Amino acid sequence: MNFLIKSGQGLKGEITIPGDKSISHRSIILSSLAEGTSKIYGLLEGADCLATIEVFRNMGIKIVNEEGVYSIEGNGLRGLEAPQKPLDFGNSGTSIRLCSGILSAQNFQSTLVGDSSLSSRPMQRIVEPLTGMGAKITSNNGTLPLNISPTDSLHSIDYLLPVASAQVKSCVMLAALYAEGVTKIEEGSVTRDHTENMFKQFGIPLNIENSYSKKCISLGNINSINPTNIDICGDFSSAAFFILAGLICPKSDLLIKNVGINKTRIGLLHALRHMGANIQLINQKESIEPTADISVKSSNLKGITLNTDLVANMIDEMPVFFIAAALSDGVTIVKDAKELRTKESDRLQAMADSLSSFGVKHELEEDGIKIYGLGSKGVLNSTNINSHGDHRIAMASAIGSLRSENEVNILDCINVNTSFPNFVDTCKEIGIEIEQS
Ligand code: S3P
């Protein structure tokens, strides 16, 4: 599936965007392990989360969707049934890494597979700590498939995260629910904390110590989890595309309603404000996952050197940030972002390719990029963009196309369905001319 998108301006309107992907996965996982029925409102009905639902259905969990409200009848921490076939996680790195933590503690064998993108992503980062906890897990040279054999018991570990990864942290936290002793996890760069928040929502005890540059989580094994109801906010990572649209299109004024503004997720907001973006948070609501409506107006942006402390908290928004940089006055420098090479595509390379096609001068490095902005009145080439089958490259490039000479073709966009199934309709709502073929 391809997108054809025309240059545009004067974007106006109020939009809502789909539920947060990270929170949606975690809500399905913990509800499946609880004892009784949890209801989930606002779940992201994208391919990634639907894959997680299928994984748990294949292990005997009853999940019913009634007009977008999902009822999940959890069977308890030890109530999953042995799957009759390999568990297919599709494109979802989050789901496979989190579920590995649970599957490592079960008394049945499981095989975990995914699509071609997921099959080339690094899995040693979870195999290593899980093996340290006593799991019997093997990979194919650090990639899929993963094979997990039954274990009698896991034991706790003290684990210093070698990479800034919420997926690895969450995998170990989930395994810790089954491990004898107290597991301690330390992270140097603070990554998204949705697992910690959802453990609190499900009443799972954990201790968190935060100091200036590190965070320590301790938790022990438990016998049961009580069900709960969860209301999921809009995904800041999906909102990011429309924040970009509002900023780079002249005469635009957008309101994006009910978006999650968890402080571990909004590095992009700080970076864009530093570039001169007119973005306001209104109607802020304090809650375990705080929300706001985001108001965005067209802005002239200037290039910056990105504060490396922000990288972990805007890792999924980097493609958006690169397009903002391409349309700024001056140079933007990003370093310490090597993790981008391990995502659904090698996002440093994929965005460098996209910038080349758009006619934006840049220098790609192993862990970052230097982008020479075309200026706040700059115009991108009308061209074809290869999305590398990566949803975020496709959507960031699609929005960048609004500042093209005329129109742009974005190729291989089917995976937009993983995180933002109604992206095209949402674009049309605010006056973007986009067609899919
Ligand atoms: C996620 C964590 C991040 C992010 C991904 C979602 C999560 O990955 O890129 O889209 O929900 O935990 P890493 O933990 O590998 O950085």
Side-chain angles (χ1 to χ4, degrees):
M1 191 242 284
N2 302 330
F3 292 156
L4 176 67
I5 185 154
K6 296 212 163 111
S7 59
Q9 57 174 307
L11 307 180
K12 298 258 174 341
E14 273 187 29
I15 49 173
T16 53
I17 40 141
D20 186 284
K21 182 152 73 70
S22 294
I23 302 177
S24 293
H25 282 302
R26 287 156 173 82
S27 67
I28 300 162
I29 294 171
L30 284 170
S31 300
S32 298
L33 300 178
E35 284 180 7
T37 303
S38 299
K39 282 196 175 194
I40 306 176
Y41 300 84
L43 186 97
L44 169 64
E45 294 178 302
D48 275 13
C49 299
L50 298 179
T52 304
I53 287 179
E54 272 317 296
V55 161
F56 282 97
R57 282 188 175 141
N58 282 320
M59 293 191 288
I61 302 297
K62 192 168 166 215
I63 303 179
V64 180
N65 168 15
E66 274 170 317
E67 291 175 17
V69 180
Y70 283 77
S71 296
I72 303 189
E73 283 181 34
N75 251 346
L77 280 159
R78 302 265 173 208
L80 298 174
E81 290 168 10
Q84 296 307 305
K85 53 182 185 185
L87 296 168
D88 187 353
F89 291 84
N91 194 246
S92 180
T94 303
S95 190
I96 202 163
R97 295 198 178 111
L98 268 61
C99 289
S100 299
I102 297 161
L103 292 166
S104 288
Q106 305 303 316
N107 60 4
F108 54 74
Q109 196 275 336
S110 54
T111 301
L112 289 66
V113 297
D115 69 7
S116 62
S117 151
L118 190 55
S119 298
S120 65
R121 295 180 67 186
M123 294 297 152
Q124 189 56 29
R125 53 180 62 196
I126 53 160
V127 169
E128 196 244 334
L130 290 174
T131 305
M133 296 175 89
K136 295 185 181 133
I137 175 167
T138 60
S139 69
N140 172 24
N141 272 327
T143 56
L144 298 187
L146 295 172
N147 277 301
I148 304 180
S149 305
T151 11
D152 293 336
S153 63
L154 296 184
H155 53 80
S156 62
I157 47 168
D158 284 3
Y159 196 60
L160 172 64
L161 283 176
V163 278
S165 168
Q167 294 177 356
V168 177
K169 170 177 70 175
S170 305
C171 167
V172 177
M173 286 175 72
L174 286 160
L177 297 179
Y178 298 87
E180 210 164 295
V182 175
T183 295
K184 292 188 184 143
I185 306 162
E186 185 180 319
E187 56 179 8
S189 311
V190 175
T191 63
R192 66 188 67 196
D193 61 0
H194 301 301
T195 306
E196 294 88 315
N197 289 343
M198 196 153 288
F199 273 27
K200 288 179 198 157
Q201 267 177 287
F202 275 89
I204 300 171
L206 78 167
N207 183 52
I208 300 175
E209 281 169 54
N210 265 309
S211 64
Y212 171 64
S213 60
K214 65 173 191 183
K215 172 173 168 182
C216 292
I217 302 166
S218 336
L219 74 166
N221 57 346
I222 54 169
N223 293 323
S224 63
I225 303 176
N226 291 325
T228 189
N229 293 340
I230 296 162
D231 207 351
I232 300 177
C233 53
D235 195 325
F236 183 83
S237 299
S238 298
F241 303 110
F242 292 96
I243 294 175
L244 177 69
L247 292 176
I248 65 170
C249 289
K251 300 185 194 128
S252 297
D253 187 351
L254 298 177
L255 188 68
I256 313 167
K257 306 270 285 178
N258 190 37
V259 182
I261 52 160
N262 178 316
K263 63 180 187 318
T264 63
R265 290 287 298 281
I266 55 168
L268 178 74
L269 196 70
H270 301 300
L272 290 174
R273 279 181 170 162
H274 188 193
M275 295 169 92
N278 184 346
I279 306 173
Q280 310 295 329
L281 298 183
I282 52 185
N283 195 18
Q284 289 193 45
K285 293 192 181 128
E286 270 319 312
S287 145
I288 195 142
E289 291 290 356
T291 60
D293 299 340
I294 303 179
S295 155
V296 192
K297 295 194 170 75
S298 320
S299 306
N300 288 342
L301 302 176
K302 61 177 180 3
I304 57 167
T305 295
L306 184 68
N307 178 347
T308 53
D309 288 349
L310 290 178
V311 170
N313 298 154
M314 57 186 284
I315 196 74
D316 288 347
E317 292 69 62
M318 283 295 183
V320 162
F321 179 69
F322 290 0
I323 297 288
L327 294 165
S328 300
D329 293 304
V331 176
T332 292
I333 298 172
V334 177
K335 285 186 185 302
D336 251 4
K338 203 171 168 194
E339 270 297 296
L340 287 174
R341 295 196 183 272
T342 69
K343 298 296 175 186
E344 287 84 328
S345 67
D346 173 345
R347 285 189 177 152
L348 276 176
Q349 186 61 57
M351 281 309 293
D353 293 349
S354 183
L355 293 174
S356 296
S357 304
F358 276 135
V360 180
K361 187 179 161 206
H362 59 275
E363 287 158 22
L364 182 61
E365 281 159 21
E366 191 44 33
D367 74 335
I369 195 165
K370 189 170 182 183
I371 298 172
Y372 296 84
L374 293 174
S376 48
K377 303 275 178 291
V379 176
L380 302 174
N381 289 341
S382 283
T383 184
N384 290 333
I385 300 284
N386 176 1
S387 77
H388 296 257
D390 183 328
H391 56 137
R392 298 199 198 281
I393 304 296
M395 289 185 277
S397 303
I399 297 300
S401 309
L402 294 167
R403 284 276 296 275
S404 70
E405 284 169 281
N406 184 6
E407 60 184 30
V408 174
N409 261 304
I410 318 279
L411 310 175
D412 194 9
C413 298
I414 191 74
N415 278 336
V416 165
N417 287 333
T418 60
S419 66
F420 205 152
N422 57 339
F423 175 72
V424 167
D425 291 339
T426 309
C427 285
K428 287 181 177 168
E429 267 180 61
I430 55 169
I432 294 176
E433 290 182 59
I434 179 168
E435 299 303 331
Q436 57 187 49
S437 59

